[in-house]
Amino acid sequence: MSDLQNRVKDTFHHLHQHAEISWEETETTAYIASILQEQGCAVTAFADCTGVVGTYGNFDSNLPVVAIRADMDALWQEVDGKFQANHSCGHDAHMAMVLGLVWKITADPALKNKVALKFIFQPAEELGAGALKMVEKGVVDDVDYLFGIHLRPAEETRMDHAAPVIVHGSNTTYKVEVSGHDAHAARPHLTANAIEVASAIVGQLNNIHLNPRVPHSVKMTNITAGGKSTNIIPGNASFAVDMRAQDNQTMDEMTQKVKEIFQTMERLYGVTITITDTEYIPAAAVNDEAIQIMEHAAARVLGDDHVHPPLVTPGGDDFHFYTIKRPTLKATMLGLGCDLKPGLHHPDMTFHHDALMNGVNILYEAVTGVYRDGDTDS
């Protein structure tokens, strides 16, 4: 095992053991910033949020600027009976691979004047908010190419295989409150039971029918109602609705129908239903040139027969806000096969750690491929 491979794996284990949730990645930010500084990167951190950006290379020429993004945040979920920050989506691996890329790039001093690179370690992907914050900070204003990477479940991509682009769908989450009043459990005629309201909403969500040729889903993902006393009919409840659609038009149609259901339930039950928070991630906007660069990079590392066609998935990622807000960006996200099981967001998610170096090497080939094969007149 090479020194670089050992270093990447050790870094992964450190990040996995020190997971931090969205907007609270303070120790992670400091840890990564110190590594970037050690490797000769100019480091930018932010006073009002977590996240860090390292720049490296020659920015005084006409070289295209290439950025590589890694997401930093963990999920908050129950693991072995205890709620904790947990990297069950692979962000610890993404950070370790991009740091591996930093080490590999900076190990060759001859590259420094031939590249112009930004290493973006982005917070709060799980909330769909971190990419927008980085756009607001201007970190991609001068960027020509943007590459991302994400571990893929075994059912999508096998170990030692990869896809040059992940065609994510759109994701919208509503946090919702039902507002009414409580009543004695012996007198159900005096109130609208918020649990029954939520149950009726679930039934109506199941009756939403959209174009079956476009993958989509809508479901309630949590609900809270009532207190310790079991002889009270709760008039208030809070719940969340998660919506997925493979394209943005279908998402627009779905959100309109969900809002109409809420309005109908308000009239039927005489309660107030309020959307208190919305999280939104758009569907992927793909770029053929960036995909081709990543496809060639994956083929160099894994072989032509181990490179998959574009990977279409109902999952979402705020990576696509970069291209929606900056349409001139040429961007793609590598889907990395790693024998990931049982699945993303499962509290006991595992993957084959040897895949980490596949990710490092593919990203290296993609980055250097821009300067070797791409248009340097940007």
Side-chain angles (χ1 to χ4, degrees), residues 33-57:
S34 67
I35 293 174
L36 293 173
Q37 288 172 335
E38 289 171 0
Q39 297 309 122
C41 295
V43 172
T44 301
F46 309 101
D48 61 341
C49 69
T50 47
V52 60
V53 178
T55 58
Y56 182 84

Side-chain angles (χ1 to χ4, degrees), residues 23 71 118-119 202-203 212 235 258 291 372:
W23 298 130
D71 31 20
K118 283 192 169 185
F119 304 100
V202 169
V258 170
I291 293 170
R372 182 179 58 246

Side-chain angles (χ1 to χ4, degrees), residues 250-267:
T250 302
M251 178 57 72
D252 291 342
E253 295 173 6
M254 186 183 299
T255 54
Q256 181 60 35
K257 286 184 177 292
V258 170
K259 290 177 180 178
E260 289 171 357
I261 289 171
F262 293 166
Q263 293 166 0
T264 299
M265 293 299 113
E266 281 186 317
R267 293 192 296 269

Side-chain angles (χ1 to χ4, degrees), residues 233-249:
I233 297 172
N236 303 303
S238 60
F239 61 86
V241 173
D242 179 276
M243 292 166 275
R244 308 275 169 165
Q246 201 57 54
D247 61 45
N248 293 319
Q249 179 180 350

Side-chain angles (χ1 to χ4, degrees), residues 32-45 52-59 66 68 98-107 112 115-121:
I32 292 171
S34 67
I35 293 174
L36 293 173
Q37 288 172 335
E38 289 171 0
Q39 297 309 122
C41 295
V43 172
T44 301
V52 60
V53 178
T55 58
Y56 182 84
N58 183 1
F59 285 78
V66 180
I68 308 91
V98 174
L99 287 171
L101 173 64
V102 173
W103 288 317
K104 187 162 184 171
I105 290 284
T106 56
K112 187 165 188 179
V115 298
L117 303 178
K118 283 192 169 185
F119 304 100
I120 302 171
F121 292 86

